[in-house]
Amino acid sequence: MTKYQLVATSAMGLESIVAEEVKSLGYETKVENGKVYFEGDETAIARCNLWLRVADRVKIVVAQFPANTFDQLFESTKKIEWERFLPVDAAFPVSGKSVKSKLFSVPDCQAIVKKAIVERMKSHYKRLGFLDESGATYKIEVSILKDLATITIDTSGAGLHKRGYRQTQGEAPLKETLAAALVKISRWSPNRPFVDLFCGSGTIPLEAAMIGQNIAPGYNREFISEDWSWFKSKIWDDARDEAESLANYDQELEIIGSDIDHRMISIAEANAIEAGFGDLIKFKQMQATDFTTRLTDGVIVSNPPYGERIGEKEIIERVIKDLGTVMKNYPTWSVYMLSSMENFEEHYGKKATKKRKLFNGFIRTDLYQFWGQKSKREE
Ligand SMILES: C[S@@+](CC[C@H](N)C(=O)[O-])C[C@H]1O[C@@H](n2cnc3c(N)ncnc32)[C@H](O)[C@@H]1O
């Protein structure tokens, strides 16, 4: 099978986790800002789309070349053997971005790349008129960074955070990819209790359940490259069969999500049912500071409100302070809180064992990690 240069794109700060995921699927990686490069065939494309929990997309890197002028961009794009990827009826929208480069006009770069591909295709397929683009879609991106152009084709389609379980969302849902990253950073293992005290629409508990039962996050969705003529459906069938055989539906899990807002609990329950975890995850309406348990060695991973709305700040600061006091009763529990709140540790009343800078969309946050006493399992 043909080997491709591939890239798994990721949110800033999550590259190392994506790289770990790619490596655990058996591929060597090279990491750059927001990008994890690796080499693989069509099976790799299918498996990575199905299994990567933290990556945004999997793309084929078609070419990389210097692009100081529009001529250079045009000629180098035209030289690419597009017929290897695009059949005569391919629909190929071109998107673009440009950072710190002479060719800064993105619409112009997109138009040049489109024109170069059209010329190449017309000459290869011997078409005089226009290409009707009535077939499957191949989303092409030209990305120019410091005058180096990278041309990619997206194999995922909808971003990989779209797992297919989200029915309705709360006000500030966490992206599924970030939620999965938090669970991974917490080093939670399925034999330990898992709690989200501010669960909203349930994203973190749902991602934990999928990790706990080793369920491929992309199992219930489709990918744009499944429609491509040269991508054999058997490869997808085999990758899905492999995912099905690796899922451990018998793994018992103790996962609880709670939220002060009963409407959120209804949404979280609906999402859990959609994901097939209706009986597995327990959701309940509860004030976070009412947390009580007889279990030990548990993990709490939450994304409490950041207190950005007027009047909310003092309330949430109080909740975090009271929660810090409550958690003193549970020294073996580890607590992971993603927050943009200033002086979070001061409010919580304890210095974090470790902090990790992460972006929740455009909001700069920290993941405050308070490791439990007996648990030697965390990073
Ligand atoms: C940022 S949202 C969490 C979003 C969630 N991670 C998701 O993906 O949908 C914060 C949640 O905390 C809840 N909340 C606010 N104050 C709370 C409290 N004192 N106790 C429990 N939940 C609270 C809100 O109702 C809201 O759903």
Side-chain angles (χ1 to χ4, degrees):
M1 254 195 276
T2 317
K3 280 257 169 108
Y4 302 94
Q5 171 73 24
L6 302 170
V7 62
T9 57
S10 102
M12 289 297 223
L14 298 180
E15 297 89 343
S16 62
I17 303 175
V18 173
E20 250 176 55
E21 291 195 291
V22 174
K23 273 190 226 150
S24 75
L25 289 168
Y27 312 103
E28 289 289 317
T29 60
K30 199 182 108 212
V31 179
E32 270 177 27
N33 274 350
K35 294 185 180 72
V36 176
Y37 289 98
F38 60 107
E39 231 183 48
D41 54 16
E42 284 136 45
T43 298
I45 296 176
R47 292 179 73 229
C48 288
N49 271 304
L50 280 172
W51 280 103
L52 295 182
R53 297 180 197 279
V54 181
D56 286 334
R57 283 200 156 75
V58 178
K59 298 175 178 179
I60 298 174
V61 181
V62 178
Q64 256 182 339
F65 50 81
N68 293 294
T69 64
F70 285 129
D71 267 357
Q72 227 179 358
L73 180 62
F74 182 84
E75 291 305 329
S76 300
T77 303
K78 205 176 145 190
K79 266 198 209 122
I80 298 168
E81 294 175 312
W82 285 103
E83 57 280 5
R84 276 182 61 209
F85 302 100
L86 310 184
V88 66
D89 65 349
F92 50 103
V94 179
S95 62
K97 56 183 174 213
S98 171
V99 177
K100 294 183 188 156
S101 298
K102 288 183 210 86
L103 302 183
F104 58 84
S105 163
V106 173
D108 285 337
C109 293
Q110 284 169 246
I112 297 269
V113 167
K114 179 86 188 186
K115 192 159 177 263
I117 304 173
V118 168
E119 283 210 5
R120 171 89 195 191
M121 299 268 286
K122 276 168 79 171
S123 128
H124 179 85
Y125 291 116
K126 315 220 170 348
R127 293 284 152 128
L128 293 173
F130 72 103
L131 300 164
D132 68 11
E133 299 200 34
S134 58
T137 303
Y138 297 71
K139 291 201 290 178
I140 291 164
E141 186 189 64
V142 49
S143 157
I144 311 185
L145 173 65
K146 295 186 188 158
D147 302 319
L148 184 72
T150 305
I151 309 240
T152 56
I153 307 179
D154 177 16
T155 72
S156 304
L160 294 181
H161 68 282
K162 295 240 159 100
R163 319 291 207 207
Y165 62 68
R166 205 189 273 289
Q167 293 291 291
T168 337
Q169 57 188 43
E171 264 181 44
L174 211 55
K175 216 170 158 183
E176 293 80 348
T177 39
L178 179 56
L182 300 185
V183 178
K184 291 203 154 212
I185 293 169
S186 81
R187 307 247 160 189
W188 168 72
S189 53
N191 56 338
R192 302 168 71 187
F194 185 95
V195 176
D196 179 356
L197 294 171
F198 303 84
C199 74
S201 57
T203 323
I204 301 174
L206 276 158
E207 291 298 321
M210 280 200 280
I211 290 171
Q213 291 198 335
N214 201 34
I215 293 170
Y219 192 75
N220 281 320
R221 56 160 280 177
E222 286 168 357
F223 304 93
I224 200 168
S225 47
E226 290 185 71
D227 296 335
W228 297 351
S229 51
W230 50 269
F231 208 133
K232 292 196 182 62
S233 57
K234 182 170 184 325
I235 288 171
W236 287 100
D237 294 344
D238 289 350
R240 285 208 169 83
D241 287 348
E242 180 195 41
E244 180 65 15
S245 71
L246 291 171
N248 184 2
Y249 298 114
D250 296 331
Q251 173 68 54
E252 288 184 17
L253 298 172
E254 180 71 35
I255 299 183
I256 299 169
S258 62
D259 196 286
I260 199 165
D261 186 342
H262 65 87
R263 289 167 308 178
M264 286 299 144
I265 295 303
S266 306
I267 291 172
E269 279 169 348
N271 287 338
I273 290 169
E274 191 58 32
F277 296 128
D279 298 327
L280 195 80
I281 307 174
K282 296 176 207 106
F283 287 106
K284 62 177 174 193
Q285 189 268 327
M286 190 183 84
Q287 158 75 272
T289 51
D290 286 342
F291 174 71
T292 159
T293 184
R294 267 178 289 154
L295 304 172
T296 58
D297 265 314
V299 179
I300 294 177
V301 180
S302 291
N303 162 222
Y306 302 156
E308 273 158 355
R309 280 195 233 130
I310 302 157
E312 211 186 40
K313 193 165 174 273
E314 288 73 25
I315 299 171
I316 192 63
E317 281 174 2
R318 179 84 216 173
V319 171
I320 296 302
K321 181 171 183 283
D322 292 348
L323 186 62
T325 309
V326 168
M327 291 316 297
K328 285 194 182 127
N329 300 323
Y330 305 106
T332 64
W333 279 65
S334 293
V335 178
Y336 294 77
M337 293 274 159
L338 184 75
S339 180
S340 68
M341 194 194 274
E342 276 172 40
N343 310 330
F344 185 94
E345 292 159 292
E346 236 169 72
H347 296 298
Y348 191 73
K350 194 173 171 184
K351 197 166 163 33
T353 324
K354 198 169 170 180
K355 278 195 280 186
R356 181 162 176 159
K357 183 172 98 172
L358 290 173
F359 281 90
N360 180 4
F362 292 109
I363 309 173
R364 189 214 179 280
T365 59
D366 279 292
L367 179 65
Y368 293 93
Q369 311 180 25
F370 304 93
W371 297 355
Q373 260 172 27
K374 285 188 198 151
S375 303
K376 301 246 186 301
R377 284 164 283 207
E378 294 91 347
E379 60 173 330

